[in-house]
Amino acid sequence: MKHILVTNDDGVLSPGLTALAGALSRFGTVTVVAPTREASAVGHALTLHHPLRFDRVSDEVYALDGTPTDCVNIAVAIILKGLPDLVASGINKGLNLGDDVTYSGTVAGAMEGALLGVPSLAVSLERTKAPYDFTHAAEAAALVAEAILRRGLPPRTFLNVNVPSGKPKGFRVTVQAARNHVTSVSALKDPRGKAYYWIGEAEDSYEPHDRSDYQAILDRLVSVTPLQPDLTAHDALKLVEEMQFPPSAEDLALRDRAEVE
Ligand code: MN
C-alpha cells in the first residue's frame, strides 16, 4: 500500500486538487495538505517569520496557512510523521511552462518533495475561457504517477507535467522552453489618490524549440519535463573561472599540493 501526499498552490478548495487526489487514490492512501488560501506564484517560498497552523478539513485533508513548500514540510514532519512514497502537486489552474516554473508554487511543491528524497510530480492544466475540466489532466497525472511508482526517479529529480485543454493526443518528453520575457507593470491610483502597481505578463510567446514543453502544448500533447533544483550554468563555469577571483588560503594550499604531486 503506497502513501501519497498531494498539495497545490491554488488552495485547499480548488477542484484541481480534489481531481488529483481522486485520480491517485487508486494507488494507495492519499493525504492532502494544501494552502488555506491561494498561493500561486509564491515560488519555493518557506515561511520563517510567522507561526503556521493547520486545520483538519476532513478525514485525510488538511488546510495549512502557508505556502506549498510549507505544506510538504509540515506534512512530512507532523502529519505523516515520515516520508510518503510520492508527492504530487496540482492540478494547477494554468500551465507552468519554461522559465515560468521558477515562479510556480505548484512546481515548488514537487521540488520540495524531490529535495526531501521523495519521487515527485507537478501537474498543470491549460487555461481556457470555458470552465476548467480536470478529467483528462487527472488521468494524465495518474499515468505519470504510476510510471514513477513503478520505475522510480533519479535522486533530486521530479517531473513537471503540463496538460493541454481538451482530450490530449498523447505524451511527449520535453525540455523547458525560453519565454520572451516581457513583464508589464501598470501604474494606477487608489481611491485615496495614492499610487499602486499591478504586475502582469505582457507577452506570452516562447522561442521556437521542437522539443520544448510549450511546443508540446501547441501540438495538443501532454508535456512531461524532468526537472532538478540544480540551476548551475555549466557552460558558464569556464568564463567565471577566468574572472580570477582571489582564491582562499585553503584553495591555494590545495593547488600547491596538487602541483607537488
Ligand atoms: Mn496556481
Side-chain angles (χ1 to χ4, degrees), residues 84-224:
D85 298 296
L86 184 77
V87 172
S89 182
I91 299 167
N92 189 58
K93 294 177 174 177
L95 298 166
N96 280 304
L97 301 171
D99 303 332
D100 285 350
V101 303
T102 57
Y103 301 109
S104 169
T106 306
V107 171
M111 180 152 74
E112 190 64 10
L115 285 170
L116 292 172
V118 182
S120 301
L121 74 156
V123 191
S124 307
L125 173 63
E126 186 178 23
R127 188 190 311 271
T128 61
K129 289 209 173 68
Y132 283 98
D133 175 1
F134 294 100
T135 318
H136 298 299
E139 276 313 303
L143 268 174
V144 176
E146 186 182 25
I148 294 175
L149 287 168
R150 199 174 58 233
R151 298 286 305 268
L153 284 173
R156 300 166 62 86
T157 304
F158 60 102
L159 300 185
N160 184 32
V161 180
N162 282 280
V163 184
S165 60
K167 190 170 167 30
K169 289 180 178 168
F171 287 70
R172 183 184 288 158
V173 177
T174 57
V175 301
Q176 274 182 271
R179 184 154 70 88
N180 300 323
H181 206 88
V182 183
T183 306
S184 75
V185 179
S186 309
L188 301 147
K189 289 263 162 62
D190 73 14
R192 292 183 187 127
K194 210 164 176 256
Y196 72 93
Y197 305 92
W198 200 272
I199 294 178
E201 289 167 12
E203 196 180 325
D204 204 18
S205 66
Y206 288 79
E207 284 173 24
H209 187 300
D210 288 352
R211 216 187 167 178
S212 78
D213 47 8
Y214 179 67
Q215 187 59 46
I217 295 298
L218 288 181
D219 295 340
R220 316 315 296 161
L221 297 167
V222 176
S223 164
V224 182

Side-chain angles (χ1 to χ4, degrees), residues 30-113:
V30 174
T31 302
V32 174
V33 184
T36 310
R37 281 176 297 273
E38 171 155 0
S40 292
V42 299
H44 199 199
L46 191 62
T47 302
L48 297 179
H49 299 292
H50 67 78
L52 293 168
R53 294 176 212 278
F54 64 79
D55 290 311
R56 189 175 198 165
V57 179
S58 63
D59 239 11
E60 286 292 338
V61 181
Y62 299 82
L64 178 94
D65 60 346
T67 68
T69 301
D70 296 332
C71 288
V72 173
N73 282 289
I74 297 290
V76 167
I78 308 293
I79 297 169
L80 303 177
K81 295 187 169 55
L83 294 174
D85 298 296
L86 184 77
V87 172
S89 182
I91 299 167
N92 189 58
K93 294 177 174 177
L95 298 166
N96 280 304
L97 301 171
D99 303 332
D100 285 350
V101 303
T102 57
Y103 301 109
S104 169
T106 306
V107 171
M111 180 152 74
E112 190 64 10

